[in-house]
Amino acid sequence: MNWKKPFIASIISLTFMAVLAMGCNKADDTPAPQPTGPQLTETPKVSYVGDNSCKACHTETYDSTIHTKHYDAFKPLADFPLDKPLGEVTIFDAANKDKPTSTTLDLSKAKIFGVMMNDYIIAEIPKEAGFTQQYYRVGALKKTNDKWSVESPKQADIDNDGKNDWTAESFTCGACHAPGIETGSPSYGVSCESCHGPGGNHVSATDKKGTMSPEVAKTSCNTCHESNPSKDDQGNYTANTHYGTRNYFASKHAQSSQLNQCLTCHTTHKANTNGSLLPTDNPTDNCVKCHAGKTFDLDKLMWKNPTDERGHFTRDHSFGAMKYEDLQDDPATKPIEIKNPTFIELIKKQLPEVAK
Ligand code: HEC
Ligand code: HEC
Ligand code: HEC
Ligand code: HEC
Ligand code: HEC
Ligand code: HEC
């Protein structure tokens, strides 16, 4: 599992890392085992203070950053006009396969954090319910006309009575889609501090110098945009489909010490007119700054997953080093298998920790 491996340099505070590290590579519907993670008994406490605390001094940055797609990853439920008032539901704990545990939750009174990716409603389940985890996807939003209705996130016969139950899926997605919930930040979604680390000390310091490292943010991208392939128990390699940056490790950019940065091509605080984190409206205008005279067909070069029925749109970031047609994928299956021996050698060489 990916959460075991060290993501980034230890300059990010341990608390930040532990929270992000939990729940990685679990972007499917199978509830993953609870990671035990490192035991952080001596973590220094630096608090997360939320975006509103940055706004007053970094006004311009704030005003542009909140219009990037990072800020669409998690929204308040109030942004979604509902077709009927929230009511009571009986939900089963989908994370507890061994024992059908259920509780009745009044959604109108529950502690609801918000909505993830315009889809799942995220809430806390009271301890007394005996669910295995604390945060769950308790409902899914579906849009009909101009209103949203609340549906069960998954139907399954948990108590074996022949009828499908309303089941609540555990929220392992939070580490990347709403990191603020577990860090106790007033900003639940991807926020300033998701990239910069906790800002409590910086905000309260009279002399701000050195209280916020710009380097932390530069290495933060990989904590959520996991791009390496993974190896299953049978020793088969599969390419990543979820995090937007499949096979980045294989690109010439990643192998150059000067270019090995997302920021060679991406911006952080400002989206272009298409809403993408790119410095130019036409993405290739940025490439030709370095590749003078070259033309790139980005739809071909940065291929999307052709076989995923859930439509994950992740673009390949190997920039031609691992073309889809060369992987030897079995199109009949959902994962993108990597069977080409040359690529397996490349993985072993570049990513010994994955090949282990
Ligand atoms: C009271 C005003 C104030 C607030 C509030 C504030 N900052 Fe700053 N910030 C500053 C100043 C002043 C500097 C420049 C410090 C220096 O001279 O190195 C700065 C610098 C920074 C830097 C650059 C550090 C560097 O060395 O390049 C980052 C990143 C940053 N702030 C992020 C944040 C974030 C995130 C928040 C909210 C959690 C925040 N700031 C809140 C005033 C503020
Ligand atoms: C997606 C990650 C990300 C988010 C979200 C983010 N930043 Fe940054 N920020 C960076 C990176 C990376 C750098 C330094 C690299 C660069 O741009 O040169 C940076 C640099 C800065 C700097 C110093 C240089 C500058 O541009 O002034 C400040 C101040 C800052 N960020 C404040 C903020 C504030 C305030 C927010 C929230 C409104 C925020 N950032 C949100 C990644 C992020
Ligand atoms: C390790 C970080 C991480 C985890 C954990 C994670 N995601 Fe994501 N997810 C991302 C990133 C990064 C993107 C953006 C990818 C892009 O822009 O191409 C994304 C995109 C998405 C999207 C939009 C595109 C798509 O693939 O349909 C959905 C929906 C989504 N995630 C759902 C989930 C759900 C549900 C979970 C939990 C079961 C989850 N994610 C867990 C990082 C993560
Ligand atoms: C050589 C340039 C380059 C580098 C380096 C690069 N990207 Fe990209 N990335 C792009 C381009 C171009 C797109 C396509 C943008 C578009 O069409 O809107 C893109 C798209 C994306 C997307 C959206 C993919 C989707 O699902 O549509 C994500 C997420 C992303 N990049 C993250 C990253 C991260 C994180 C890194 C660092 C690990 C990185 N990129 C490095 C050029 C680059
Ligand atoms: C806390 C997790 C997290 C961190 C840290 C993070 N991202 Fe993202 N990123 C996401 C999620 C989630 C999405 C999907 C947002 C959506 O589609 O609403 C995303 C989407 C994107 C996209 C595609 C959408 C767009 O605006 O073009 C790009 C590009 C991107 N991130 C680049 C970066 C870069 C560069 C960094 C580091 C400076 C970074 N991200 C840090 C979680 C993160
Ligand atoms: C900051 C400069 C810079 C930017 C911006 C940049 N590249 Fe590169 N790129 C390089 C360098 C340097 C190499 C390495 C050449 C080598 O080692 O052979 C490279 C290598 C490549 C390669 C593999 C070798 C080749 O020339 O075929 C591809 C493909 C590529 N880049 C595509 C892109 C695309 C597409 C973009 C824009 C989305 C882009 N690059 C943006 C500097 C850049």
Side-chain angles (χ1 to χ4, degrees):
M1 295 291 287
N2 280 326
W3 52 265
K4 278 190 192 145
K5 93 187 162 211
F7 277 106
I8 46 166
S10 56
I11 43 172
I12 294 202
S13 92
L14 282 175
T15 327
F16 186 55
M17 264 197 66
V19 169
L20 285 171
M22 292 195 311
C24 278
N25 221 16
K26 283 182 221 148
D28 54 301
D29 283 311
T30 6
Q34 272 286 73
T36 45
Q39 293 304 304
L40 302 169
T41 42
E42 287 167 66
T43 312
K45 196 115 181 89
V46 185
S47 57
Y48 286 82
V49 291
D51 287 349
N52 278 339
S53 320
C54 320
K55 195 176 171 178
C57 303
H58 301 287
T59 314
E60 212 181 300
T61 307
Y62 176 89
D63 287 343
S64 64
T65 309
I66 56 166
H67 296 297
T68 64
K69 283 189 196 139
H70 279 136
Y71 281 69
D72 293 338
F74 204 79
K75 294 177 188 162
L77 181 59
D79 287 3
F80 302 83
L82 300 176
D83 61 351
K84 22 177 204 297
L86 292 168
E88 267 190 4
V89 284
T90 300
I91 54 178
F92 281 81
D93 180 3
N96 190 351
K97 291 268 188 273
D98 303 331
K99 203 164 116 225
T101 307
S102 70
T103 190
T104 302
L105 194 67
D106 183 347
L107 290 177
S108 70
K109 298 202 187 95
K111 181 162 170 105
I112 289 177
F113 291 98
V115 177
M116 171 197 160
M117 298 305 283
N118 302 321
D119 194 341
Y120 298 110
I121 301 175
I122 311 305
E124 186 172 44
I125 304 288
K127 261 208 182 76
E128 308 80 75
F131 276 32
T132 46
Q133 285 161 38
Q134 198 176 355
Y135 309 113
Y136 281 81
R137 290 183 262 163
V138 298
L141 289 175
K142 290 284 167 296
K143 197 173 186 186
T144 31
N145 302 322
D146 53 351
K147 295 275 194 211
W148 299 78
S149 53
V150 181
E151 297 175 356
S152 147
K154 198 176 186 178
Q155 296 284 340
D157 184 8
I158 303 275
D159 56 1
N160 293 316
D161 68 351
K163 278 185 290 191
N164 271 348
D165 302 306
W166 174 297
T167 67
E169 303 250 23
S170 58
F171 186 48
T172 50
C173 332
C176 306
H177 286 277
I181 295 178
E182 295 203 28
T183 55
S185 169
S187 299
Y188 299 137
V190 181
S191 69
C192 310
E193 292 165 293
S194 308
C195 295
H196 287 288
N201 287 352
H202 174 67
V203 167
S204 57
T206 23
D207 181 5
K208 309 264 179 241
K209 246 196 176 64
T211 53
M212 204 76 184
S213 157
E215 294 308 314
V216 168
K218 281 187 192 165
T219 50
S220 71
C221 320
N222 303 336
T223 57
C224 300
H225 294 278
E226 172 65 67
S227 54
N228 295 343
S230 44
K231 190 182 177 187
D232 68 17
D233 296 342
Q234 284 77 49
N236 305 312
Y237 290 96
T238 50
N240 214 303
T241 54
H242 189 89
Y243 313 102
T245 50
R246 184 191 317 105
N247 295 333
Y248 173 66
F249 77 98
S251 74
K252 281 274 189 290
H253 294 119
Q255 285 158 37
S256 142
S257 56
Q258 275 125 51
L259 302 173
N260 184 15
Q261 278 198 41
C262 311
L263 305 187
T264 298
C265 301
H266 290 288
T267 54
T268 51
H269 304 141
K270 205 166 185 317
N272 66 13
T273 50
N274 312 316
S276 297
L277 284 167
L278 291 168
T280 51
D281 286 344
N282 177 355
T284 53
D285 286 353
N286 182 45
C287 319
V288 295
K289 280 184 217 149
C290 301
H291 297 280
K294 265 216 158 185
T295 45
F296 293 112
D297 180 351
L298 291 189
D299 285 334
K300 272 213 181 114
L301 195 63
M302 305 185 76
W303 54 272
K304 297 183 190 186
N305 183 358
T307 61
D308 188 325
E309 81 264 11
R310 289 173 66 207
H312 290 140
F313 46 70
T314 285
R315 288 205 182 230
D316 198 69
H317 270 65
S318 73
F319 293 97
M322 290 175 74
K323 295 196 185 79
Y324 177 73
E325 54 273 27
D326 296 335
L327 299 180
Q328 299 172 14
D329 172 45
D330 175 0
T333 60
K334 185 176 145 186
I336 309 176
E337 293 92 3
I338 303 172
K339 295 195 204 117
N340 182 330
T342 313
F343 293 157
I344 293 173
E345 275 317 300
L346 184 71
I347 295 169
K348 287 183 177 155
K349 192 170 141 237
Q350 300 291 340
L351 306 169
E353 71 280 10
V354 171
K356 240 194 292 185

